DNA sequence: AAGAGGCCCTGATAGC
DNA sequence: TGCTATCAGGGCCTCT
């Protein structure tokens, strides 16, 4: 499900729902995620208060009261659901949400709180949870990651020096988390469309104007996706299972053989494969 | 060291 | 209806 904007939406929802709450119990039904959950996982989280929910790139960072951290990656198909405890809500006279459609299968992990539980669902199990003992371990985890597009470090000099002497095309670099963090396969295509750059362009040959467009449009695409509630992705739901307000607004992704959405362009969208991932672009206006 | 490719896994959809 | 093949938001690991 997730590129940076979708993870950010989840972070915001989690902040509203579980920040400041104590984890009463952890229930693990399947330990075999991308990385096998350690036997001590439950014990280390039990009875801890969640003091903050942060995010870096596509990772959620759950801070606990003892300044240890639980990082969560949703992989391709991970989703987080909140089930509010109906009884408790009625008792405290707060409104509760309509029972969200919790998937029947693949509910691997439950975080149980006083008035609700959080459920991690992940059919493909490419997602994972990892515990970091302290801030140093956490920082070390992200040591080799490139800056997020919003970072001041993601600037013209950085791009030029990073591309120098490298051979990959620009689409592959946008997906490379060592170069830039948080962009995934959908937004990579969208960023290049907005920038009118051909996805197979050799990155080191991009001129200053091209690089500046990539910097500007990476921010623009991600920010607008966050503002739209993480829209974009097929079946994307917020943690209450609500899909209604999300709309698909892709200009190129998934639009193979359809008309280019640029008003002045009569091109047709093409689908190609780069580094084993699909790329969508307009042959006519992306040069 | 950079880059290409395989692989982890289930489910939805297309084509026959 | 039911089979098989292909593809999907990601990233780690291995090999060259």
């Amino acid at each position: 499900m997730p590129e940076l904007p979708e993870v950010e939406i989840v972070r915001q929802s989690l902040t509203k729902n579980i920040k400041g709450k104590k984890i009463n119990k952890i229930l693990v039904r399947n330990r075999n995620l991308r990385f096998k959950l350690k036997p001590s996982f439950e014990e280390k989280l039990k009875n801890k208060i969640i003091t903050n929910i942060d995010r870096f790139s596509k990772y959620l960072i759950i801070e606990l009261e003892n300044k240890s951290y639980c990082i969560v990656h949703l992989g391709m198909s991970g989703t987080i659901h909140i089930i509010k405890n109906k009884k408790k809500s009625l008792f405290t006279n707060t409104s509760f949400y309509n029972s969200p459609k919790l998937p029947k299968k693949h509910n691997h992990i439950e975080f149980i709180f006083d008035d609700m539980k959080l459920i991690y669902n992940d059919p493909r199990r490419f997602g994972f949870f990892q515990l970091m003992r302290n801030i140093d371990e956490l920082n070390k985890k992200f040591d080799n990651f490139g800056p997020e597009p919003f970072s001041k470090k993601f600037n013209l000099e950085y791009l030029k020096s990073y591309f120098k002497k490298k051979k990959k095309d620009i689409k592959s670099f946008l997906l490379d988390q060592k170069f830039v963090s948080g962009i995934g396969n959908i937004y990579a295509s969208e960023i290049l469309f907005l920038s009118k750059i051909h996805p197979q362009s050799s990155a080191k040959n991009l001129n200053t104007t091209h690089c500046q467009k990539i910097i500007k449009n990476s921010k623009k695409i991600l920010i607008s996706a966050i503002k739209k509630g993480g829209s974009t992705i097929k079946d994307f739901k917020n943690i209450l299972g609500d899909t209604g307000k999300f709309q698909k607004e892709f200009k190129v992704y998934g639009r193979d053989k359809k008309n280019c959405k640029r008003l002045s362009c009569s091109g047709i969208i093409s689908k190609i494969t780069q580094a084993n991932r699909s790329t969508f672009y307009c042959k006519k206006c992306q040069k």
Side-chain angles (χ1 to χ4, degrees):
Chain A
M1 155 180 114
E3 298 184 31
L4 186 153
E6 289 72 36
V7 179
E8 173 59 19
I9 297 307
V10 174
R11 186 198 68 76
Q12 291 172 9
S13 312
L14 288 180
T15 300
K16 277 185 200 158
N17 284 281
I18 65 167
K19 185 173 171 179
K21 296 196 171 161
K22 189 170 90 173
I23 304 165
N24 292 335
K25 191 181 169 188
I26 302 278
L27 200 62
V28 179
R29 295 206 176 81
N30 188 345
R31 314 191 83 78
N32 298 309
L33 302 183
R34 178 70 169 81
F35 304 115
K36 190 159 188 159
L37 282 179
K38 291 181 180 170
S40 59
F41 181 78
E42 293 93 321
E43 201 51 43
K44 286 188 173 168
L45 291 173
K46 192 179 175 179
N47 290 328
K48 297 287 189 306
I49 292 171
I50 292 172
T51 46
N52 199 22
I53 324 279
D54 212 333
R55 180 194 57 71
F56 176 73
S57 183
K58 306 171 191 174
Y59 293 77
L60 291 164
I61 304 168
I62 300 173
E63 183 195 69
L64 301 162
E65 55 179 319
N66 61 355
K67 298 292 172 194
S68 69
Y69 300 85
C70 175
I71 63 175
V72 183
H73 195 291
L74 302 172
M76 294 273 256
S77 58
T79 49
I80 289 177
H81 306 261
I82 291 281
I83 307 291
K84 301 231 174 186
N85 183 333
K86 197 171 170 179
K87 243 183 186 173
K88 189 86 176 183
S89 297
L90 280 176
F91 186 69
T92 57
N93 202 27
T94 57
S95 62
F96 58 90
Y97 295 84
N98 292 331
S99 57
K101 283 189 180 171
L102 183 69
K104 289 193 175 76
K105 296 168 72 176
H106 311 300
N107 293 319
H108 306 311
I109 304 178
E110 287 190 15
F111 283 53
I112 297 163
F113 302 93
D114 276 344
D115 58 345
M116 66 179 65
K117 55 186 179 180
L118 176 156
I119 296 174
Y120 178 71
N121 181 284
D122 188 357
R124 294 177 76 178
R125 286 185 277 120
F126 287 175
F128 56 86
F129 286 60
Q130 282 179 321
L131 296 180
M132 302 286 146
R133 270 180 292 233
N134 51 50
I135 189 81
D136 292 333
E137 259 188 41
L138 180 68
N139 288 334
K140 196 178 168 191
K141 168 81 188 175
F142 297 117
D143 244 10
N144 297 320
F145 280 64
E148 289 191 347
F150 314 122
S151 166
K152 280 182 183 169
K153 290 182 190 167
F154 193 62
N155 59 37
L156 185 62
E157 295 69 41
Y158 175 73
L159 264 65
K160 293 237 169 166
S161 73
Y162 199 94
F163 293 156
K164 208 172 180 178
K165 292 183 183 175
K166 294 203 178 79
K167 287 185 178 168
K168 280 197 299 188
D169 56 62
I170 184 58
K171 159 70 175 355
S172 300
F173 273 117
L174 289 179
L175 282 187
D176 181 351
Q177 306 295 303
K178 287 199 198 70
F179 166 60
V180 61
S181 292
I183 298 173
N185 202 40
I186 290 181
Y187 296 120
S189 281
E190 297 296 317
I191 289 163
L192 291 172
F193 173 77
L194 196 55
S195 306
K196 297 189 180 181
I197 295 171
H198 195 293
Q200 288 172 317
S201 307
S202 157
K204 69 173 186 308
N205 292 337
L206 293 177
N207 64 30
T208 297
T209 312
H210 286 143
C211 290
Q212 282 167 336
K213 279 186 184 170
I214 286 168
I215 294 163
K216 189 178 114 194
N217 291 329
S218 298
K219 300 183 214 288
K220 192 172 170 181
I221 291 273
L222 297 189
I223 286 171
S224 106
I226 292 169
K227 282 188 181 162
K228 284 168 190 157
S231 64
T232 55
I233 281 179
K234 185 187 172 199
D235 289 339
F236 179 71
K237 299 175 170 76
N238 71 8
I239 63 175
L240 297 170
D242 183 9
T243 53
K245 54 191 164 180
F246 301 117
Q247 294 188 349
K248 292 176 198 165
E249 300 206 3
F250 301 142
K251 296 280 198 295
V252 284
Y253 188 87
R255 299 193 63 252
D256 190 22
K257 295 173 188 165
K258 293 189 171 147
N259 294 331
C260 178
K261 285 200 173 178
R262 219 182 285 283
L263 289 177
S264 56
C265 181
S266 58
I268 303 290
I269 306 305
S270 302
K271 179 182 180 180
I272 56 171
T273 298
Q274 290 176 278
N276 282 322
R277 311 291 303 273
S278 54
T279 303
F280 297 85
Y281 74 106
C282 175
K283 270 182 185 164
K284 196 163 183 184
C285 62
Q286 289 178 257
K287 300 290 182 189

